[in-house]
Amino acid sequence: MRDIYIEDINESVWNLFLRNLPDSGYQLSFTHGQNVVALPKSFAEIKQLQETEPTTLGIAIENGIWINCHFFIESEIELDLSPKDIDI
């Protein structure tokens, strides 16, 4: 996996990220455990969900390339992608 980091952030930046994603035009898939559910509107809601099951946000950027976000810590947005998804 290759990682993309946005560092030195806080919960308000996470909330801005989450609020604007649905308007981005990208296909989104948010999972809680094995279930696809609606994307929460705040980082706090996601952390609450993580108390029972892991969460993952998938963002399809183009041509089968998915970027994944796992919501590890409040101070950093970490996105990963698999080089296997990139066919050039």
Side-chain angles (χ1 to χ4, degrees):
M1 293 291 184
R2 297 292 182 241
D3 295 326
I4 301 164
Y5 296 98
I6 303 167
E7 299 178 314
D8 299 321
I9 65 161
N10 56 36
E11 190 171 345
S12 66
V13 175
W14 269 111
N15 292 341
L16 182 64
F17 175 71
L18 293 168
R19 197 169 44 248
N20 286 292
L21 269 178
D23 296 328
S24 68
Y26 295 114
Q27 179 184 347
L28 306 175
S29 177
F30 184 78
T31 57
H32 177 233
Q34 299 298 315
N35 301 310
V36 176
V37 298
L39 178 65
K41 297 187 186 309
S42 73
F43 184 74
E45 289 177 61
I46 292 170
K47 294 312 277 183
Q48 187 174 30
L49 287 172
Q50 288 178 336
E51 292 176 8
T52 58
E53 294 282 345
T55 60
T56 302
L57 169 63
I59 305 165
I61 55 174
E62 67 177 57
N63 299 328
I65 299 171
W66 283 82
I67 294 177
N68 298 300
C69 182
H70 304 282
F71 308 94
F72 293 128
I73 58 176
E74 181 180 327
S75 63
E76 177 180 272
I77 296 174
E78 179 180 334
L79 306 165
D80 65 44
L81 66 126
S82 173
K84 294 177 187 175
D85 290 343
I86 301 171
D87 183 25
I88 51 174

